[in-house]
Amino acid sequence: MYVYQESSPSRRLTGIAIVALLHLAIIYALVTGLGRQAIEVLRGPVETKLIEEVKPPPPDVPLVPPPLTAPPPPYVPPPDIQVRQPVSERAITAVVRQPAPAPVVAPPAPEPVRTKPSVEVGKSCRIPDYPSASKMLSESGTVVLRFLVDVDGRVLESQVESSSGYPRLDEAARAALSLCHFRAGTADGKPERSWAKLRYVWKLN
Protein backbone atom coordinates (compact mmCIF):
# COMPACT_ATOMS: atom_id res chain seq x y z
CA MET A 1 0.00 0.00 0.00
CA TYR A 2 1.67 3.25 -1.15
CA VAL A 3 1.13 6.28 1.02
CA TYR A 4 1.88 9.70 -0.52
CA GLN A 5 2.92 12.27 2.03
CA GLU A 6 2.89 15.82 0.78
CA SER A 7 5.64 18.04 2.15
CA SER A 8 4.68 20.98 4.18
CA PRO A 9 4.64 24.38 2.46
CA SER A 10 6.99 25.89 5.13
CA ARG A 11 9.91 23.57 4.23
CA ARG A 12 9.55 24.30 0.57
CA LEU A 13 9.63 28.02 1.15
CA THR A 14 12.80 27.63 3.29
CA GLY A 15 14.65 25.78 0.51
CA ILE A 16 13.68 28.37 -2.05
CA ALA A 17 14.92 31.14 0.22
CA ILE A 18 18.31 29.47 0.71
CA VAL A 19 18.79 29.00 -3.04
CA ALA A 20 17.93 32.62 -3.65
CA LEU A 21 20.45 33.77 -1.05
CA LEU A 22 23.23 31.69 -2.66
CA HIS A 23 22.54 33.22 -6.04
CA LEU A 24 22.60 36.69 -4.57
CA ALA A 25 25.95 36.00 -2.87
CA ILE A 26 27.51 34.78 -6.11
CA ILE A 27 26.24 37.78 -8.03
CA TYR A 28 27.61 40.11 -5.38
CA ALA A 29 30.96 38.47 -5.47
CA LEU A 30 31.18 38.81 -9.23
CA VAL A 31 30.20 42.42 -9.08
CA THR A 32 32.57 43.46 -6.33
CA GLY A 33 35.62 41.43 -7.65
CA LEU A 34 36.00 39.29 -4.55
CA GLY A 35 35.97 36.15 -6.66
CA ARG A 36 38.88 37.38 -8.79
CA GLN A 37 40.92 38.24 -5.73
CA ALA A 38 40.26 34.82 -4.27
CA ILE A 39 41.43 33.15 -7.48
CA GLU A 40 44.61 35.26 -7.53
CA VAL A 41 45.29 34.51 -3.89
CA LEU A 42 44.93 30.81 -4.46
CA ARG A 43 46.95 30.85 -7.70
CA GLY A 44 49.83 32.99 -6.38
CA PRO A 45 51.46 30.51 -3.99
CA VAL A 46 51.22 27.70 -6.54
CA GLU A 47 52.98 29.74 -9.23
CA THR A 48 55.68 30.94 -6.81
CA LYS A 49 56.47 27.43 -5.65
CA LEU A 50 56.83 26.14 -9.21
CA ILE A 51 59.19 28.98 -10.14
CA GLU A 52 61.42 28.37 -7.12
CA GLU A 53 61.79 24.65 -7.92
CA VAL A 54 62.58 25.14 -11.64
CA LYS A 55 64.82 28.23 -11.19
CA PRO A 56 68.48 27.35 -12.07
CA PRO A 57 71.43 28.75 -10.07
CA PRO A 58 72.74 32.13 -11.18
CA PRO A 59 75.44 31.70 -13.90
CA ASP A 60 77.73 34.44 -12.54
CA VAL A 61 78.38 32.70 -9.22
CA PRO A 62 81.24 30.13 -9.71
CA LEU A 63 81.01 26.85 -7.91
CA VAL A 64 83.86 26.89 -5.37
CA PRO A 65 84.90 23.45 -4.07
CA PRO A 66 85.53 23.15 -0.39
CA PRO A 67 89.14 23.82 0.58
CA LEU A 68 91.35 20.74 0.73
CA THR A 69 92.99 20.13 4.05
CA ALA A 70 96.28 18.23 4.14
CA PRO A 71 96.35 15.12 6.29
CA PRO A 72 98.29 15.43 9.51
CA PRO A 73 101.96 14.25 9.30
CA PRO A 74 102.71 10.74 10.58
CA TYR A 75 103.81 10.41 14.14
CA VAL A 76 107.57 10.05 14.44
CA PRO A 77 108.77 9.02 17.90
CA PRO A 78 111.60 11.17 19.24
CA PRO A 79 115.04 9.51 19.25
CA ASP A 80 116.38 8.02 22.46
CA ILE A 81 119.08 10.27 23.78
CA GLN A 82 121.40 8.71 26.30
CA VAL A 83 123.52 11.01 28.35
CA ARG A 84 126.89 9.54 29.23
CA GLN A 85 129.31 10.93 31.69
CA PRO A 86 132.64 12.02 30.23
CA VAL A 87 135.37 9.45 30.59
CA SER A 88 138.48 10.60 32.30
CA GLU A 89 141.81 10.52 30.53
CA ARG A 90 143.03 7.78 32.83
CA ALA A 91 140.19 5.50 31.79
CA ILE A 92 141.00 5.80 28.10
CA THR A 93 144.73 5.37 28.53
CA ALA A 94 145.68 2.00 27.09
CA VAL A 95 148.83 0.17 27.97
CA VAL A 96 150.38 -1.24 24.85
CA ARG A 97 152.86 -3.96 25.52
CA GLN A 98 155.47 -4.57 22.96
CA PRO A 99 155.75 -8.23 22.02
CA ALA A 100 158.81 -9.93 23.31
CA PRO A 101 161.46 -10.26 20.64
CA ALA A 102 161.72 -13.69 19.16
CA PRO A 103 164.72 -15.59 20.37
CA VAL A 104 167.51 -15.62 17.88
CA VAL A 105 168.17 -19.19 16.91
CA ALA A 106 171.67 -19.74 15.83
CA PRO A 107 172.02 -21.75 12.65
CA PRO A 108 173.07 -25.32 13.27
CA ALA A 109 176.73 -25.96 13.03
CA PRO A 110 177.73 -27.71 9.84
CA GLU A 111 178.46 -31.40 10.10
CA PRO A 112 182.15 -32.12 10.28
CA VAL A 113 183.77 -33.81 7.34
CA ARG A 114 184.66 -37.32 8.44
CA THR A 115 186.83 -40.03 6.96
CA LYS A 116 186.64 -43.73 7.86
CA PRO A 117 189.54 -45.74 9.19
CA SER A 118 191.62 -47.14 6.38
CA VAL A 119 192.59 -50.79 6.47
CA GLU A 120 196.03 -51.67 5.21
CA VAL A 121 195.79 -55.42 5.10
CA GLY A 122 198.98 -56.08 3.16
CA LYS A 123 201.21 -53.99 5.36
CA SER A 124 199.87 -53.80 8.90
CA CYS A 125 197.44 -56.74 9.09
CA ARG A 126 198.36 -60.36 8.64
CA ILE A 127 196.07 -62.71 6.79
CA PRO A 128 194.80 -65.23 9.34
CA ASP A 129 195.71 -68.91 9.01
CA TYR A 130 192.98 -71.34 7.97
CA PRO A 131 192.01 -73.44 11.00
CA SER A 132 193.17 -77.06 10.49
CA ALA A 133 189.94 -78.52 11.83
CA SER A 134 187.96 -76.37 9.37
CA LYS A 135 190.11 -77.66 6.55
CA MET A 136 189.50 -81.26 7.55
CA LEU A 137 185.76 -80.65 7.75
CA SER A 138 185.77 -78.51 4.56
CA GLU A 139 184.29 -75.50 6.34
CA SER A 140 184.15 -72.27 4.35
CA GLY A 141 182.22 -69.02 4.34
CA THR A 142 182.34 -65.24 4.72
CA VAL A 143 182.39 -63.38 8.03
CA VAL A 144 181.85 -59.62 8.46
CA LEU A 145 183.47 -58.00 11.49
CA ARG A 146 182.60 -54.62 12.97
CA PHE A 147 185.37 -53.08 15.07
CA LEU A 148 186.26 -49.84 16.88
CA VAL A 149 189.51 -48.10 15.97
CA ASP A 150 191.17 -45.71 18.45
CA VAL A 151 192.86 -42.44 17.50
CA ASP A 152 196.22 -44.22 17.45
CA GLY A 153 194.96 -46.91 15.02
CA ARG A 154 194.61 -49.77 17.48
CA VAL A 155 191.52 -52.01 17.55
CA LEU A 156 189.71 -51.57 20.85
CA GLU A 157 186.67 -53.77 20.23
CA SER A 158 185.36 -56.15 17.56
CA GLN A 159 181.95 -57.77 16.87
CA VAL A 160 180.73 -60.42 14.43
CA GLU A 161 178.12 -58.62 12.37
CA SER A 162 177.57 -61.43 9.86
CA SER A 163 178.68 -64.99 10.68
CA SER A 164 180.25 -67.41 8.24
CA GLY A 165 178.16 -70.20 9.72
CA TYR A 166 181.11 -71.73 11.57
CA PRO A 167 182.26 -70.40 14.94
CA ARG A 168 185.88 -71.54 14.38
CA LEU A 169 186.18 -69.39 11.28
CA ASP A 170 184.54 -66.38 13.02
CA GLU A 171 186.89 -66.56 16.02
CA ALA A 172 189.95 -67.02 13.80
CA ALA A 173 189.02 -63.81 11.97
CA ARG A 174 188.60 -61.87 15.21
CA ALA A 175 191.99 -63.11 16.53
CA ALA A 176 193.76 -61.96 13.39
CA LEU A 177 191.96 -58.57 13.44
CA SER A 178 193.24 -57.81 16.94
CA LEU A 179 196.81 -57.94 15.61
CA CYS A 180 196.15 -55.45 12.77
CA HIS A 181 197.07 -51.78 12.79
CA PHE A 182 194.81 -49.19 11.06
CA ARG A 183 194.85 -45.54 10.21
CA ALA A 184 192.35 -43.77 12.47
CA GLY A 185 189.35 -41.93 11.05
CA THR A 186 189.24 -38.14 11.10
CA ALA A 187 186.70 -35.34 11.66
CA ASP A 188 187.60 -32.10 9.89
CA GLY A 189 191.13 -33.45 9.55
CA LYS A 190 191.49 -34.41 13.24
CA PRO A 191 191.82 -38.10 14.31
CA GLU A 192 188.84 -39.50 16.20
CA ARG A 193 187.64 -42.84 17.52
CA SER A 194 185.33 -44.47 14.98
CA TRP A 195 183.85 -47.74 13.82
CA ALA A 196 184.82 -49.67 10.68
CA LYS A 197 183.95 -52.97 8.97
CA LEU A 198 186.07 -55.77 7.51
CA ARG A 199 185.07 -58.86 5.59
CA TYR A 200 186.99 -62.19 5.62
CA VAL A 201 186.34 -64.82 2.99
CA TRP A 202 187.22 -68.38 4.02
CA LYS A 203 187.63 -70.53 0.96
CA LEU A 204 189.42 -73.85 0.40
CA ASN A 205 191.55 -74.28 -2.75
Side-chain angles (χ1 to χ4, degrees):
M1 180 176 182
Y2 177 73
V3 179
Y4 175 75
Q5 291 182 359
E6 186 179 357
S7 59
S8 61
S10 59
R11 289 184 178 182
R12 183 178 298 179
L13 291 175
T14 302
I16 292 171
I18 291 173
V19 172
L21 289 175
L22 288 175
H23 280 82
L24 290 175
I26 292 171
I27 292 170
Y28 178 79
L30 291 175
V31 173
T32 58
L34 293 176
R36 185 176 179 180
Q37 292 178 1
I39 291 173
E40 290 179 358
V41 171
L42 292 176
R43 187 175 59 183
V46 176
E47 290 178 357
T48 304
K49 184 176 182 182
L50 291 176
I51 290 172
E52 289 180 358
E53 289 182 357
V54 178
K55 184 179 180 181
D60 296 337
V61 180
L63 297 177
V64 180
L68 299 177
T69 58
Y75 174 74
V76 179
D80 295 336
I81 301 175
Q82 297 180 359
V83 179
R84 297 183 180 180
Q85 296 181 357
V87 183
S88 61
E89 295 183 356
R90 292 184 178 180
I92 62 175
T93 303
V95 178
V96 179
R97 296 183 179 180
Q98 296 294 335
V104 179
V105 179
E111 292 290 335
V113 179
R114 287 186 170 87
T115 61
K116 295 181 180 180
S118 59
V119 179
E120 298 178 357
V121 179
K123 295 181 180 180
S124 61
C125 188
R126 184 173 61 86
I127 299 175
D129 296 332
Y130 212 111
S132 57
S134 297
K135 286 183 179 181
M136 293 175 58
L137 297 174
S138 300
E139 296 176 353
S140 63
T142 302
V143 57
V144 178
L145 299 177
R146 183 173 179 268
F147 54 95
L148 179 62
V149 181
D150 202 356
V151 293
D152 57 357
R154 294 182 299 107
V155 177
L156 298 178
E157 183 182 353
S158 62
Q159 300 173 357
V160 177
E161 187 175 89
S162 179
S163 174
S164 63
Y166 301 100
R168 278 186 295 267
L169 298 178
D170 296 341
E171 290 300 326
R174 290 186 60 191
L177 182 63
S178 62
L179 301 175
C180 295
H181 189 78
F182 299 90
R183 183 179 297 175
T186 60
D188 291 337
K190 296 180 181 180
E192 70 172 357
R193 185 177 296 180
S194 57
W195 289 86
K197 291 182 182 181
L198 183 63
R199 184 177 65 177
Y200 279 101
V201 179
W202 301 96
K203 185 178 180 180
L204 295 171
N205 294 328

